[in-house]
Amino acid sequence: MDDELAKTIFISYSHQNKAIADEIENQFSQYGVGLRRDIRVVKYKDSFKQFMKEIRKADYVIMIISDFFLRSHNCMYEVIEFIKDENYKDRILPIIYEAKIYTELGKIDYIKYWNAKYREIENEVSGLTSEQTISIAQNQKIFREVSTNIGDFIEFIRDLNHKSYEDLVSSNFEELFEILSIEKTTPSENSINELIRLAERFKLNQLSLRHHDLKLIPDQVFKLKNLEILELGYNSIKEISSNISTLKNLKFLDLSNNSIKELPKEIISLENLGKILVENNPLERPPLPIASKGIVAIKEYFKSLVNIIKIYEAKIILIGEGNAGKTSLLKRIISNSYVDSLAETYGINITDWNFKTIENTSFKVNFFDFGGQEIYHATHQFFFSNRSLYIYVLDSRHEVNFNDYQYWLSLISLLSNDSPVIIVQNKIDIGDKEIPLDDLKNRYPNIVKSLKVSSVTGFGIGELKEVIKDEVSKLPHVGADIPKDWYVIRNHLEIMEESYISFQEYLDLCLAQGIKRNDALSLSQYLHDLGIILHFQDDNQLKEIIVLKPDWVTNAVYLLIDSKEIINNYGEFSLDYIESIWKTYPQNTHTFILEFLFKFDLCFQIPGTDKFIVPQLISYEEPIIDNIFKDGIKFEFRYDYLPSFIISRFIVRTFDLQQLNQRWRHGVVLKIKDSLAIVKLVAYENKISISLVGEDSKRLLYRIRNEFLNINESYKNLKYTEYIGCNCISCKNDMKPHYFNLKYIKAAFEKNKDNIFCEKSFENVNIIELINSYSNLVIE
């Protein structure tokens, strides 16, 4: 045990493989073993290069060797540093994940890649003076060393009896633990105490107590003065003692995935603390939007708490099909009156509702009433957030198809990460269709209540209001302490008549109130999350404007997508037309609104013209295309749930490859050189179908796949699987071949299997030939 704790185990990986590194670290931390990672100890303004040199000090280095890893400047720098030690071969533990190291062609590809990198930088510096080349000499040296050593390194890895990531997962990492002499026993109170005792004895600077089912942090931890890294994630900790202030050398603190509601203000005394993880905690103090921005924001928050105020405010989003009675229901909730609203909601209506809680506290709710038409659904992403309550309104007169339930409830899950939902069956006075509530709750456990009401008679409205009050009071941010100065700014912004102000104007308001720039950014993020303002801090174009009236910008979008002229022109419009359709909007805001459309992939500009296209308004009619794709390669993305705006976003992102008149509402034809691809949404099967032909089809598929992967990754709960078409004799000329799960192909390849079985032709398919037809998708 003593030797085990004294070991330093480093993990080296490309940032694209962070999820795998996290999983490996979780496995180790369950048994009290911490891994050394740069993200744990390198803080703001520290040198990564200096840290990388520390890899030589590690007893073992776990390397997640992927295609990304072998092409990464930083990862290969770590390799070069590590192999400078004479006995590195005894200390390297490679884990292979989708790396092209199994064939000579794969190895040659990496050698050529780094040779090209070195030649590129050598050519670039050839025209510079010797003084000018000094600043890039280090990188030039690294590229030369990598290009010289990459072949031998790959050969060394291939020669080892290494394991793939899939192999290790299937064996619960048994062999890795065996090599490292780590005893896999579930931590007990005694073993936790032993870990702490050994950390004290060896004066270790790192302690991992993740996955130890801790309710409290043991007092002995606060006596470990040498600690620089403290990992307490994945426990049941509810409270952090003020004694945390004794750990003066602490650089990294992991508190993620606990039950912590409040951080102690003493945390501001930890001057060396550079990084803190707090995600997946019900934090109220500081509010999670502030705490998630990092230690600087946390410290600024506590320093500003001279005068504090509790904020009781929440956002409620009403969704559902058109004519379900959302607007009438909202009127009944707010004023207990009925308005027969026959017209469908245009775009979005934002309405306030104020009430008193049982404790006589003033509570404010911002209702967002969305139009039910499909054309508006893509704009929901502007306002859906984790910090909201959702009301899904149904028309009790009609049977609802299960696909409709799935659409709306999955949309909430997709865009808001499973926020609470109340299902409301409206118009109960004239119809009472039953809904499969038990089935829905099993699939969507975030459904908290189902009620039947009538906006006409008022039946059930009283109960609904009480349920709403109860549920909004449970939202994590409600009742959180915020600086009184923030509240002053929040109220000032609300009463301003302007629809928007510049970011500089906003900063001036904050500075006049004594709020510094970093706090002003935290405040704008907080108000953005509540739906009070819109401020897109991560966008270079949009961050310069603070939208004070969110419906101001969305109504501009709806003016565009509801325009009969644009609809009749199948989504095409010109800059000149913008001038007329946005005539009530100041001309200097038109660029901002266009950037807003671009940010959310709602439109694109046709290259070389002043014309724009809104994909959601393109004709549904699919162009007649010769059956040229029958002989090509086939690829599919299959989803548990697939909103139509996924294909719209893809059409926007690939405008540079599109052919004139070769796009429609649910698909597009793309071209690179002489190669073509047809990409289309098959809605009833929840899939994206891709067929390609031509010599550059692999290159074209690489671009298409990357665009979809990027779109998919922007939605936390979007579940999908990739499939490739079979290339056997029966399938290769068939528009509907048998499809193989891409993960299955990769697993077979990693297991050195020669063939897999086609369920359509009942023939064995050679894996290498199948891989070659799809290039590096399998072994990337």
Side-chain angles (χ1 to χ4, degrees):
M1 185 69 172
D2 287 15
D3 291 339
E4 174 188 323
L5 263 287
K7 291 171 186 168
T8 302
I9 306 172
F10 191 102
I11 183 166
S12 180
Y13 60 97
S14 165
H15 74 273
Q16 288 91 344
N17 302 129
K18 178 180 178 298
I20 295 173
D22 290 343
E23 173 59 25
I24 294 171
E25 185 178 28
N26 283 341
Q27 290 288 335
F28 274 75
S29 65
Q30 290 182 58
Y31 307 102
V33 180
L35 301 182
R36 192 165 175 79
R37 295 170 67 172
D38 52 10
I39 64 166
R40 296 293 188 255
V41 293
V42 180
K43 65 178 183 177
Y44 182 58
K45 298 179 75 173
D46 274 358
S47 168
F48 270 103
K49 289 184 178 179
Q50 188 60 40
F51 174 79
M52 286 175 185
K53 292 181 179 179
E54 293 187 21
I55 194 170
R56 274 183 260 170
K57 303 175 184 176
D59 294 301
Y60 291 96
V61 175
I62 298 171
M63 289 186 178
I64 303 172
I65 299 177
S66 66
D67 186 66
F68 290 118
F69 182 94
L70 292 171
R71 296 180 192 273
S72 165
H73 171 215
N74 284 342
C75 292
M76 294 312 297
Y77 184 15
E78 289 180 352
V79 169
I80 294 302
E81 288 296 327
F82 187 60
I83 65 177
K84 288 177 181 178
D85 191 275
E86 291 182 359
N87 66 339
Y88 80 91
K89 292 183 179 180
D90 298 326
R91 298 185 291 128
I92 186 172
L93 300 171
I95 297 175
I96 312 303
Y97 182 75
E98 302 175 356
K100 297 185 293 184
I101 66 170
Y102 301 101
T103 64
E104 288 305 308
L105 288 177
K107 184 172 78 170
I108 290 169
D109 185 36
Y110 291 118
I111 294 173
K112 289 170 65 177
Y113 175 84
W114 284 104
N115 281 340
K117 282 285 186 184
Y118 175 63
R119 286 196 304 271
E120 180 182 348
I121 196 170
E122 192 172 39
N123 291 337
E124 289 296 324
V125 302
S126 61
L128 301 177
T129 66
S130 57
E131 290 82 3
Q132 291 171 324
T133 62
I134 291 174
S135 62
I136 57 175
Q138 177 70 6
N139 281 344
Q140 190 178 12
K141 179 183 176 184
I142 293 169
F143 285 168
R144 183 175 65 248
E145 289 183 338
V146 173
S147 64
T148 301
N149 290 283
I150 183 74
D152 289 342
F153 178 71
I154 290 174
E155 194 62 40
F156 161 66
I157 296 297
R158 280 184 3 191
D159 188 52
L160 290 177
N161 182 24
H162 60 257
K163 292 293 181 181
S164 71
Y165 174 67
E166 289 81 4
D167 288 336
L168 288 170
V169 169
S170 63
S171 67
N172 292 319
F173 294 84
E174 291 286 353
E175 294 183 56
L176 204 55
F177 287 120
E178 185 177 339
I179 290 172
L180 293 168
S181 302
I182 295 170
E183 185 180 352
K184 285 188 67 174
T185 56
T186 303
S188 63
E189 184 175 346
N190 288 336
S191 65
I192 293 170
N193 291 335
E194 180 70 1
L195 287 171
I196 297 171
R197 185 187 67 79
L198 289 168
E200 183 176 19
R201 175 181 169 186
F202 286 103
K203 299 188 181 333
L204 298 179
N205 63 5
Q206 178 174 346
L207 176 65
S208 177
L209 296 177
R210 300 169 101 220
H211 293 285
H212 279 52
D213 197 29
L214 291 172
K215 305 295 189 297
L216 292 170
I217 303 173
D219 288 338
Q220 303 96 303
V221 168
F222 302 120
K223 299 176 182 177
L224 303 176
K225 307 302 182 184
N226 292 312
L227 278 188
E228 295 179 5
I229 302 169
L230 178 58
E231 298 172 330
L232 299 167
Y234 294 91
N235 283 295
S236 302
I237 298 169
K238 293 184 178 181
E239 184 179 348
I240 305 298
S241 168
S242 60
N243 290 332
I244 194 80
S245 62
T246 63
L247 303 178
K248 299 298 183 183
N249 290 313
L250 206 59
K251 294 181 179 180
F252 175 86
L253 178 60
D254 177 10
L255 300 174
S256 63
N257 298 280
N258 277 288
S259 302
I260 302 164
K261 289 188 175 182
E262 184 174 330
L263 296 178
K265 67 178 183 298
E266 287 79 10
I267 205 166
I268 67 175
S269 67
L270 299 176
E271 295 181 359
N272 291 308
L273 187 60
K275 189 159 187 176
I276 183 170
L277 301 182
V278 294
E279 61 262 27
N280 297 322
N281 278 291
L283 265 179
E284 297 174 0
R285 177 187 169 100
L288 193 57
I290 298 172
S292 61
K293 290 177 76 70
I295 188 61
V296 174
I298 291 171
K299 289 182 177 180
E300 290 294 335
Y301 168 82
F302 280 116
K303 288 176 183 177
S304 67
L305 289 184
V306 179
N307 294 306
I308 62 171
I309 190 169
K310 290 186 180 294
I311 186 166
Y312 293 90
E313 189 165 357
K315 180 166 64 175
I316 296 180
I317 296 176
L318 276 76
I319 60 165
E321 298 297 336
N323 295 317
K326 296 188 294 296
T327 303
S328 298
L329 177 65
L330 183 56
K331 187 73 174 177
R332 178 63 80 173
I333 291 171
I334 293 175
S335 63
N336 199 29
S337 60
Y338 173 70
V339 174
D340 187 4
S341 178
L342 297 177
E344 292 192 61
T345 299
Y346 168 79
I348 182 174
N349 289 326
I350 303 175
T351 312
D352 297 341
W353 179 40
N354 296 281
F355 60 85
K356 293 282 189 180
T357 66
I358 296 175
E359 295 81 11
N360 202 35
T361 302
S362 296
F363 204 114
K364 181 179 181 180
V365 165
N366 304 301
F367 274 106
F368 288 70
D369 176 15
F370 284 96
Q373 301 93 314
E374 183 180 0
I375 192 66
Y376 298 139
H377 296 178
T379 62
H380 289 174
Q381 61 189 304
F382 307 156
F383 302 102
F384 279 33
S385 70
N386 301 342
R387 310 167 71 78
S388 305
L389 173 67
Y390 291 79
I391 299 180
Y392 174 26
V393 185
L394 302 170
D395 187 336
S396 289
R397 298 173 299 175
H398 306 305
E399 292 282 359
V400 180
N401 187 294
F402 194 84
N403 288 336
D404 291 332
Y405 293 123
Q406 183 187 38
Y407 178 86
W408 289 106
L409 293 170
S410 295
L411 191 68
I412 294 169
S413 177
L414 189 66
L415 297 179
S416 72
N417 195 21
D418 298 323
S419 290
V421 181
I422 300 171
I423 296 179
V424 175
Q425 289 180 264
N426 195 16
K427 305 183 182 181
I428 195 69
D429 51 307
I430 48 180
D432 189 6
K433 299 294 185 182
E434 291 299 317
I435 65 172
L437 186 59
D438 290 339
D439 289 343
L440 292 175
K441 281 187 172 183
N442 285 334
R443 184 157 186 168
Y444 304 99
N446 54 321
I447 296 173
V448 295
K449 196 75 174 179
S450 176
L451 298 168
K452 297 180 179 182
V453 305
S454 169
S455 299
V456 177
T457 67
F459 174 81
I461 297 297
E463 182 183 2
L464 173 60
K465 290 166 74 170
E466 292 306 312
V467 170
I468 290 173
K469 291 176 182 179
D470 183 50
E471 290 300 328
V472 293
S473 67
K474 296 176 184 176
L475 292 174
H477 67 280
V478 170
D481 290 336
I482 68 167
K484 192 171 183 180
D485 291 338
W486 284 28
Y487 196 68
V488 171
I489 294 294
R490 180 254 179 276
N491 288 340
H492 183 82
L493 296 177
E494 186 176 41
I495 63 174
M496 290 179 71
E497 294 183 0
E498 292 92 337
S499 297
Y500 68 94
I501 57 175
S502 71
F503 177 58
Q504 188 57 53
E505 288 178 89
Y506 167 75
L507 275 183
D508 291 342
L509 286 172
C510 290
L511 289 171
Q513 192 63 34
I515 300 173
K516 297 178 182 178
R517 181 187 175 92
N518 283 340
D519 283 343
L521 287 169
S522 297
L523 172 57
S524 72
Q525 184 64 55
Y526 182 72
L527 298 177
H528 178 98
D529 287 347
L530 286 178
I532 295 167
I533 65 171
L534 293 179
H535 186 209
F536 302 100
Q537 298 183 18
D538 61 339
D539 189 285
N540 287 332
Q541 301 296 325
L542 299 180
K543 68 182 182 183
E544 296 304 322
I545 287 185
I546 305 278
V547 178
L548 304 181
K549 309 283 192 294
D551 52 352
W552 172 81
V553 69
T554 51
N555 285 337
V557 175
Y558 297 141
L559 281 171
L560 202 67
I561 62 180
D562 279 336
S563 164
K564 289 184 179 180
E565 184 173 332
I566 296 178
I567 292 171
N568 292 336
N569 205 30
Y570 298 115
E572 185 175 319
F573 64 95
S574 66
L575 278 174
D576 291 339
Y577 187 66
I578 288 177
E579 302 293 333
S580 62
I581 201 166
W582 289 339
K583 60 187 176 185
T584 59
Y585 287 76
Q587 192 168 16
N588 63 354
T589 65
H590 293 182
T591 300
F592 171 82
I593 300 170
L594 271 176
E595 289 292 341
F596 185 81
L597 289 164
F598 296 153
K599 176 180 175 63
F600 290 101
D601 294 334
L602 293 175
C603 84
F604 64 89
Q605 186 171 5
I606 301 174
T609 73
D610 67 348
K611 305 289 185 183
F612 300 82
I613 296 288
V614 179
Q616 286 189 295
L617 299 177
I618 302 173
S619 170
Y620 279 107
E621 185 176 353
E622 184 175 341
I624 298 173
I625 299 171
D626 294 335
N627 196 19
I628 60 173
F629 293 101
K630 187 173 71 170
D631 299 332
I633 60 176
K634 315 291 189 305
F635 194 90
E636 290 184 349
F637 282 94
R638 300 181 187 176
Y639 298 79
D640 289 0
Y641 156 71
L642 177 58
S644 61
F645 53 74
I646 296 291
I647 191 67
S648 297
R649 291 189 63 186
F650 175 79
I651 292 172
V652 169
R653 288 170 172 235
T654 55
F655 66 84
D656 57 312
L657 304 180
Q658 293 171 23
Q659 303 298 294
L660 189 63
N661 299 322
Q662 297 290 289
R663 51 179 169 256
W664 62 103
R665 186 75 64 92
H666 288 161
V668 65
V669 175
L670 306 177
K671 183 177 182 180
I672 288 182
K673 295 185 178 179
D674 293 327
S675 297
L676 293 172
I678 183 169
V679 183
K680 56 185 177 180
L681 165 73
V682 185
Y684 59 91
E685 294 184 25
N686 276 331
K687 73 179 183 181
I688 299 290
S689 170
I690 304 163
S691 299
L692 309 98
V693 290
E695 291 184 4
D696 282 301
S697 57
K698 296 172 187 176
R699 176 183 164 201
L700 186 51
L701 178 57
Y702 183 82
R703 166 72 184 277
I704 292 167
R705 180 172 177 254
N706 273 352
E707 294 293 355
F708 275 114
L709 290 177
N710 287 331
I711 293 170
N712 292 344
E713 290 305 310
S714 68
Y715 303 107
K716 186 173 182 179
N717 288 331
L718 189 63
K719 296 179 176 61
Y720 63 92
T721 308
E722 299 174 85
Y723 285 82
I724 60 176
C726 179
N727 68 338
C728 72
I729 295 175
S730 299
C731 291
K732 71 187 309 181
N733 296 319
D734 193 337
M735 284 301 291
K736 295 184 178 180
H738 172 66
Y739 282 88
F740 294 106
N741 186 319
L742 185 55
K743 289 183 178 179
Y744 175 76
I745 299 292
K746 291 178 178 180
F749 181 75
E750 297 281 0
K751 297 283 187 183
N752 296 317
K753 301 296 182 184
D754 294 326
N755 300 302
I756 49 177
F757 184 71
C758 172
E759 296 179 10
K760 188 165 187 175
S761 67
F762 301 103
E763 300 287 341
N764 282 324
V765 177
N766 184 273
I767 291 179
I768 297 298
E769 291 179 5
L770 182 61
I771 287 172
N772 288 338
S773 67
Y774 285 89
S775 187
N776 66 339
L777 287 181
V778 175
I779 55 176
E780 61 187 352

